[in-house]
């Protein structure tokens, strides 16, 4: 095959010089985008590896056996190390000096008062801490959205009523994440001497995680839509 036919138009006509230059320019832009994506992926991978090392060191040295067991099970399911670290930050202040450079949050945090302003059993200090904690998890969800959504759900095929063959996938937040989140909240409340009910904390944990996952998926879908429009 002649070179002009390889780059030719329909009918075997050779590509004009102007068209060929435009083609080369588009290819250069495409390769630059690919290189930038690979560079960012490498940077993200290094960051997650660093966070994983911190998390594994904590699991190895911590005396909180129940907590470390839950962390280990979450890691076994390939959940992002950064998200797990953000989740246990409320429980373990000693981690903050080590992860501060990796988990930067907004400086002007405001309490969202998920328990309500009228809830006198929840001190303002705790409300602010929990709000910051949730923002930290949301920040890490935004850092690793694809991985969190891919591995953060349990998917079960559910039969529709009045049908025998058609099934619909039903997604639920992984139980290990809900358990870990509730455990962290319970220990924090006990340390703060705040009365709590573990069943309620599990419900609240599921509520938090559903909100984080929903916002993460919405952001991913929006990003995909914008990229489709650009292409």
């Amino acid at each position: 095959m002649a070179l002009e036919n390889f780059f030719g138009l329909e009918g075997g006509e050779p590509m004009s010089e102007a068209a060929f230059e435009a083609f080369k320019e588009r290819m250069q832009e495409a390769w630059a985008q690919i290189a930038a994506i690979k560079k960012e992926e490498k940077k993200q991978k290094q960051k997650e590896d660093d966070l994983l090392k911190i998390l594994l060191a904590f699991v190895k040295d911590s005396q909180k056996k129940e907590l470390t067991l839950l962390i280990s099970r979450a890691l076994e399911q390939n959940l992002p190390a950064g998200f797990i670290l953000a989740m246990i930050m409320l429980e373990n202040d000693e981690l903050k000096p080590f992860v501060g450079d990796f988990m930067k949050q907004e400086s002007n945090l405001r309490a969202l008062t998920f328990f309500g302003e009228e809830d006198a059993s929840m001190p303002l200090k705790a409300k602010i801490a929990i709000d910051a904690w949730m923002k930290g998890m949301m920040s890490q969800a935004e850092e690793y959205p694809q991985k969190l959504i891919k591995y953060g759900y349990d998917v079960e095929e559910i039969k529709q009523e009045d049908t025998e063959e058609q099934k619909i996938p039903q997604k639920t937040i992984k139980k290990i994440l809900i358990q870990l989140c509730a455990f962290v909240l319970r220990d924090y409340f006990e340390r703060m001497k705040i009365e709590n009910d573990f069943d309620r904390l599990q419900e609240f944990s599921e509520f938090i995680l559903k909100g984080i996952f929903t916002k993460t998926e919405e952001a991913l879908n929006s990003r995909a839509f914008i990229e489709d429009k650009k292409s």
Side-chain angles (χ1 to χ4, degrees):
M1 179 184 293
L3 183 61
E4 61 267 22
N5 287 337
F6 180 78
F7 290 109
L9 304 174
E10 187 177 355
E13 296 179 4
M15 182 181 288
S16 69
E17 184 176 349
F20 183 60
E21 289 300 321
F23 169 78
K24 287 199 300 182
E25 185 176 336
R26 290 197 301 271
M27 289 299 295
Q28 288 172 350
E29 290 175 356
W31 282 115
Q33 289 178 354
I34 292 171
I37 291 170
K38 287 184 176 180
K39 183 178 180 180
E40 184 61 27
E41 287 177 345
K42 185 177 180 180
K43 182 180 177 181
Q44 286 288 92
K45 178 66 167 56
Q46 182 60 53
K47 182 177 179 180
E48 187 171 17
D49 286 347
D50 290 338
L51 289 170
L52 181 59
K53 288 176 184 176
I54 293 171
L55 195 53
L56 291 175
F58 172 78
V59 169
K60 181 180 178 182
D61 297 336
S62 177
Q63 301 300 314
K64 302 169 183 176
K65 299 303 180 184
E66 189 174 356
L67 176 63
T68 56
L69 179 60
L70 290 171
I71 293 171
S72 299
R73 287 178 177 172
L75 288 174
E76 286 172 1
Q77 297 188 42
N78 208 25
L79 291 159
F83 188 75
I84 298 171
L85 263 174
M87 185 177 288
I88 66 173
M89 287 286 285
L90 181 68
E91 156 71 16
N92 298 284
D93 292 339
E94 64 268 23
L95 280 169
K96 290 182 180 178
F98 298 98
V99 300
D101 291 338
F102 295 101
M103 297 182 179
K104 294 179 180 178
Q105 301 174 17
E106 299 175 6
S107 58
N108 56 337
L109 294 172
R110 295 182 300 164
L112 298 181
T113 61
F114 281 87
F115 287 88
E117 291 282 359
E118 71 284 354
D119 190 348
S121 66
M122 174 72 68
L124 179 60
K125 179 181 178 181
K127 289 180 181 179
I128 294 174
I130 290 173
D131 183 37
W133 171 65
M134 289 187 291
K135 286 184 177 181
M137 286 193 287
M138 189 68 237
S139 175
Q140 286 304 301
E142 292 169 350
E143 286 275 342
Y144 310 99
Q146 291 92 347
K147 187 173 183 179
L148 181 65
I149 297 304
K150 181 178 180 179
Y151 296 106
Y153 283 114
D154 285 320
V155 181
E156 184 180 359
E157 296 264 319
I158 304 296
K159 282 187 178 181
Q160 289 184 310
E161 293 183 4
D162 303 324
T163 63
E164 293 186 0
E165 297 182 0
Q166 190 174 7
K167 295 182 179 180
I168 55 173
Q170 181 171 326
K171 298 191 301 183
T172 56
I173 305 293
K174 279 191 180 292
K175 291 181 179 178
I176 186 63
L177 277 178
I178 297 173
Q179 290 173 344
L180 179 57
C181 189
F183 182 92
V184 168
L185 276 169
R186 185 194 67 185
D187 277 18
Y188 175 75
F189 280 11
E190 287 179 353
R191 190 167 70 248
M192 293 290 292
K193 295 180 171 54
I194 300 172
E195 186 176 347
N196 67 86
D197 177 79
F198 191 70
D199 289 337
R200 186 187 178 200
L201 293 181
Q202 284 188 306
E203 292 175 5
F204 181 56
S205 296
E206 187 173 5
F207 171 77
I208 292 170
L209 292 169
K210 279 183 178 179
I212 291 172
F213 276 55
T214 298
K215 287 187 176 182
T216 302
E217 287 190 277
E218 287 174 353
L220 279 174
N221 292 335
S222 177
R223 187 187 310 171
F225 176 78
I226 293 172
E227 288 175 353
D228 287 342
K229 284 292 184 181
K230 287 181 178 179
S231 60

